[in-house]
Amino acid sequence: MRRLLGLICLVVSITMGLPVLVSYLSPVQIQERETRVRLYQHSTGQVIEIPLEEYVTGVVAAEMPASFPMEALKAQAVAARTYIVRRLNAGGVINNDHPGADVCDDHAHGQAWISREEMRRRWGTLRYYEYYYKIKKAVDETRGMVLTYQGQLIEPAYHSSCGGRGTESASAVWAADLPYLVGVPCPYDADPEPVRTVILPLEQVDRALGVHIEAVPVTASGTGNPLEVVERTPAGRPRIVRIGGKELAATLVRDRLGLRSTDFTMSMKGGQIQITTRGYGHAVGMCQYGAKGLAQHGYTFDRILKHYYTGVEITRIN
C-alpha cells in the first residue's frame, strides 16, 4: 500500500506539478502514529509531550465553562483541534521564548490549557469527575475533526462574548482579510453579564495612552466625555477613537487599558475615568456564549461552527 501511494504521488507530481501534489495531500495527512503536542507549561517552565486529543481536552477545559451544553463543547473541541493541527502541519511556530515547544498554555499566545490536576483544583473532586468526563465525551465524539476552507485548515479564531452585537470580520479588527472570518449575527449570546464598568485614575489613562485628558472641557459638576468615536466597524464597535485630542485604534486602547473589549464608552467624573464595555474578547470568529445560546436553541455543533465560520467544511484527519 505504501509503495502504491508513493507511485501515485510520483505520477501526480510529474503530470500535474508539485503544487497540485501538495494540495492533494493537504490538509489530511496519513500518520503512522498518534500525533503528539509539545506543550510549554508556564507554571513549571517545562515542555511536556502529550497526545493530541489529550491536549484538546485540556484546552476545552480551560477555554469554555464545562457547564455549557454538550454541542457547544463539541464546537469548541473542533476549533481547538483545528488551531493546533494547523500549527503542527506548518511545522510548528518559531517561538524564541519557548524553544522546543509547539505551543504554550497561555491564552494570550494562542490557546489556554490546563492539566487534569488543575481541573480537579478548580472544580473540586465531585465536580471534577462530572466535568472531566463531559468534556472528554465532547472531544471523543469529535475525534479527528477539523475545520477547512477550500481544502485548507482555517485560523479558528474565537472569543468569549460579542455582547449580542454580532461578530466582526477579521479585516475590521486585524490586518487580515479571511473569507471565512466575516461578521455574522449572534442572536443568542448567553453572557449573563455582558456589560461591565471599570473606573481608572485619570493619570493612569493618560500615561497608558500617551494623552492629556485634563484638557477635555468638563461641566460644572466635574463630568465630561473624553471619547469621540472617529470610525466604527461594520458591526458598530469603535474602530478609531479620539481621546485627549489624539486618534488611536480601539484595539490599542483595549490592550493598554486591559479592557474586556473594544466596544467601550468613556466618561470623566471627578478626576477619574469611567469605562463601560460590552462583550469580552476581539469579537472575531466563534462567540463562545453565542455558541452556548445556539446549543440551547437546538443547534448541533456542526451548525454552530458553520454559523460562525463562513463557508467551512468539517474534515476528519487520520
Side-chain angles (χ1 to χ4, degrees), residues 11-240:
V11 172
V12 171
S13 63
I14 291 173
T15 59
M16 303 184 69
L18 183 58
V20 174
L21 173 60
V22 173
S23 177
Y24 175 77
L25 294 177
S26 179
V28 180
Q29 302 285 337
I30 295 177
Q31 301 174 4
E32 295 183 354
R33 62 182 179 82
E34 183 176 19
T35 300
R36 302 182 73 83
V37 177
R38 297 173 300 171
L39 173 70
Y40 176 84
Q41 292 183 288
H42 284 270
S43 61
T44 64
Q46 302 294 318
V47 176
I48 61 173
E49 190 173 294
I50 56 177
L52 172 64
E53 299 301 319
E54 182 180 330
Y55 168 77
V56 174
T57 300
V59 173
V60 176
E63 291 281 4
M64 179 174 278
S67 59
F68 275 24
M70 177 61 69
E71 295 303 308
L73 293 171
K74 288 181 181 180
Q76 181 65 64
V78 176
R81 186 180 298 107
T82 304
Y83 175 90
I84 185 60
V85 172
R86 187 173 190 267
R87 278 145 185 77
L88 293 177
N89 272 19
V93 177
I94 297 175
N95 189 336
N96 293 330
D97 292 334
H98 315 306
D102 300 310
V103 288
C104 73
D105 57 6
D106 184 353
H107 73 91
H109 298 162
Q111 298 190 131
W113 179 90
I114 57 175
S115 65
R116 293 182 64 172
E117 291 75 17
E118 178 63 17
M119 295 177 206
R120 188 187 299 270
R121 188 188 71 78
R122 291 188 185 185
W123 300 331
T125 301
L126 293 179
R127 284 291 190 187
Y128 164 75
Y129 289 106
E130 175 190 353
Y131 285 164
Y132 172 75
Y133 285 105
K134 180 182 179 182
I135 290 173
K136 189 175 186 303
K137 176 180 173 66
V139 174
D140 288 345
E141 292 187 359
T142 61
R143 186 179 184 88
M145 294 183 188
V146 292
L147 294 166
T148 60
Y149 180 83
Q150 295 184 353
Q152 301 298 314
L153 291 160
I154 74 165
E155 183 65 49
Y158 54 86
H159 59 281
S160 180
S161 168
C162 71
R165 191 185 285 276
T167 67
E168 294 283 4
S169 298
S171 59
V173 179
W174 306 314
D177 187 10
L178 300 174
Y180 50 82
L181 289 180
V182 296
V184 298
C186 190
Y188 304 123
D189 186 321
D191 187 347
E193 195 177 354
V195 178
R196 303 285 184 91
T197 298
V198 296
I199 297 176
L200 301 176
L202 186 150
E203 297 81 5
Q204 178 183 339
V205 176
D206 277 356
R207 185 170 58 253
L209 301 181
V211 298
H212 299 285
I213 298 178
E214 293 94 340
V216 175
V218 297
T219 65
S221 62
T223 64
N225 183 5
L227 174 70
E228 178 186 352
V229 178
V230 177
E231 181 183 342
R232 293 187 180 274
T233 66
R237 294 178 179 83
R239 185 173 187 177
I240 304 295

Side-chain angles (χ1 to χ4, degrees), residues 273-290:
I273 303 297
Q274 179 174 294
I275 306 174
T276 299
T277 58
R278 174 176 288 276
Y280 190 10
H282 48 61
V284 178
M286 183 174 68
C287 170
Q288 293 170 317
Y289 272 96

